Amino acid sequence: MFGNILFILTLISYGFLANLSLKPTPGGDYSVGYAFVWMFYAGGFLLFSGLLAWNMNLNHCFDWLPAPFASHRGLTVFIGWGILLLALFWSMEYHTKWNEGEFPFFMRWLALSKVHFWLPIMVFIPALYLINAECPAGFLPNLVKYSWLLGFAASFIMGLGILFAFGKFKVQQRFGHYQAAKSSSNTGDWGFDTAMDAINNYSDTSILNLLTYTHREKDERLRKAAAAKIKTYPDWEAQLIQILEKGELPDRYWVYAYMDGNEIVHSDSFVQPVARSLERLIPEIKASLKDPNSLYLGYANIEAICRVLDTHFPNNASDFRASMEQLQQVFAANPPARSNKPNQEWFDETMAASRLALGKWLREHVE
């Protein structure tokens, strides 16, 4: 009876988790609630599936395992449970997205085959039989046995693919460190050497101050070293998104400066944060242009934004067009002269360049 209750709770928690995970991740304040609910469902699935595996092992549901595995049955069940969870969580995370070269190609086929749907069927239906069969060790139908073994074989293969991706990431990470260290040799240029040492010795939890070295006008060696250092942070893309979502205009400037010449891996995750950052930019620039004492126009970085949209989001123009049109309207106005006369020439040049970049982008992305 207890095994059946755990089985039902496991299925319910997995159903809730899969239903949530297969939906698009919301942005902004909703992302906090989404993350909390996801952790609640994931915790329930971990708990109930773990208790189910423990209960099945306790009730000799796995006595039919071959001798080499049966002699260490508890360890075998624990490893099998862990591999299954790893495969299921991966399948829900990568059911639509795919980053070329991150995983072996066969993993793409598994993701497209809706492995998050058929893998639980191959495992949980035999588990229900094993829970309720009177003598599972004495007689186990081949359909039950082979379904179970095929399910765990698929999980094991996926686990190898994930392990390969993790090993590849660690190698690339070490190579990035090596390249950065190699580039930091004393060149006799005090400014360059100081900046390179700052990059190599950087230890903040936030990547924000590293972004300042990735601007396209910086020395290419500094840019490469800073980009390599940034990618040693496992959550570097999440930090970029957080700055786009919550950061002030000067901080968002450096995110666009990074993306203007450096790669992002999960570009789909940036579409909505970038769109919302453009929406926030409209009132900020409008207020800045009206203020004769404001030079925040420099933080707008319109030319870089247009290059970033073309480079990283060539198929998402419709997500940005409305905001870009509104920005064009803002820049079409004739703002008052800056009170700081020496900066007026810079201001006029930046206004003209921004207007040209906006016009060009909108002409090239007509609906």
Side-chain angles (χ1 to χ4, degrees):
M1 176 62 71
F2 184 57
N4 285 312
I5 294 174
L6 289 173
F7 179 84
I8 293 171
L9 292 174
T10 299
L11 285 187
I12 291 174
S13 58
Y14 180 76
F16 281 128
L17 177 62
N19 181 61
L20 183 68
S21 299
L22 300 180
K23 294 179 179 178
T25 303
D29 294 337
Y30 291 102
S31 63
V32 178
Y34 176 93
F36 178 79
V37 175
W38 187 91
M39 287 190 293
F40 180 77
Y41 290 158
F45 179 58
L46 285 169
L47 174 64
F48 295 131
S49 63
L51 288 174
L52 178 63
W54 169 79
N55 180 264
M56 291 178 68
N57 183 55
L58 195 65
N59 288 286
H60 303 281
C61 293
F62 301 109
D63 286 349
W64 54 274
L65 287 171
F69 298 102
S71 59
H72 301 284
R73 191 179 62 197
L75 179 61
T76 300
V77 172
F78 177 78
I79 293 174
W81 171 72
I83 292 174
L84 175 64
L85 290 184
L86 182 64
L88 290 176
F89 278 108
W90 181 90
S91 66
M92 288 183 283
E93 175 68 17
Y94 286 87
H95 70 287
T96 55
K97 67 182 182 182
W98 181 256
N99 306 307
E100 198 65 38
E102 185 175 4
F103 295 97
F105 186 75
F106 72 84
M107 301 282 282
R108 177 60 172 164
W109 179 85
L110 286 169
L112 292 175
S113 71
K114 299 187 182 298
V115 64
H116 58 269
F117 176 77
W118 57 259
L119 182 57
I121 292 177
M122 295 185 70
V123 173
F124 289 136
I125 290 180
L128 183 63
Y129 174 86
L130 292 170
I131 292 170
N132 294 285
E134 294 183 3
C135 300
F139 176 76
L140 189 63
N142 286 335
L143 181 61
V144 174
K145 180 187 296 185
Y146 293 146
S147 175
W148 184 278
L149 292 177
L150 284 173
F152 276 95
S155 300
F156 181 74
I157 292 172
M158 292 171 67
L160 290 178
I162 296 168
L163 183 64
F164 168 81
F166 176 77
K168 181 179 178 181
F169 169 77
K170 297 303 291 185
V171 170
Q172 290 176 337
Q173 188 180 58
R174 285 185 173 274
F175 182 73
H177 279 304
Y178 168 76
Q179 288 291 89
K182 184 178 178 181
S183 301
S184 67
S185 58
N186 192 353
T187 64
D189 183 334
W190 181 86
F192 173 83
D193 291 338
T194 300
M196 187 63 75
D197 288 340
I199 294 171
N200 292 331
N201 298 321
Y202 190 85
S203 59
D204 290 0
T205 56
S206 170
I207 64 171
L208 180 58
N209 291 326
L210 277 175
L211 297 176
T212 61
Y213 297 102
T214 64
H215 195 285
R216 63 190 289 123
E217 294 181 0
K218 289 285 187 180
D219 187 297
E220 184 179 3
R221 294 168 295 175
L222 293 177
R223 292 172 56 196
K224 288 183 177 180
K229 186 77 171 185
I230 286 169
K231 291 174 184 177
T232 64
Y233 287 73
D235 64 338
W236 65 277
E237 287 191 312
Q239 289 197 41
L240 292 178
I241 290 173
Q242 180 69 15
I243 297 171
L244 286 173
E245 295 273 20
K246 303 293 185 181
E248 297 298 323
L249 180 56
D251 294 337
R252 303 201 307 270
Y253 170 91
W254 291 114
V255 174
Y256 282 109
Y258 170 82
M259 292 195 293
D260 184 21
N262 294 282
E263 68 169 1
I264 52 175
V265 180
H266 304 94
S267 58
D268 290 346
S269 301
F270 282 79
V271 174
Q272 291 308 312
V274 167
R276 284 188 285 270
S277 77
L278 294 178
E279 293 172 2
R280 294 174 60 196
L281 183 61
I282 296 166
E284 292 171 332
I285 295 305
K286 184 181 293 185
S288 173
L289 293 181
K290 291 179 179 179
D291 182 359
N293 297 307
S294 175
L295 294 175
Y296 256 43
L297 177 61
Y299 287 124
N301 211 6
I302 297 297
E303 292 178 281
I305 287 175
C306 292
R307 288 192 295 266
V308 166
L309 298 186
D310 284 336
T311 301
H312 299 293
F313 314 104
N315 300 318
N316 300 99
S318 60
D319 293 288
F320 313 124
R321 185 178 294 105
S323 294
M324 297 294 275
E325 289 174 346
Q326 292 181 58
L327 281 170
Q328 187 182 44
Q329 293 173 8
V330 171
F331 278 93
N334 292 318
R338 301 299 94 174
S339 58
N340 188 338
K341 299 303 181 182
N343 291 324
Q344 184 64 49
E345 183 178 353
W346 167 87
F347 182 83
D348 291 340
E349 291 177 355
T350 306
M351 281 289 292
S354 299
R355 288 167 175 167
L356 286 173
L358 283 168
K360 181 176 181 293
W361 189 92
L362 288 168
R363 285 194 302 273
E364 292 176 351
H365 298 87
V366 178
E367 285 186 299

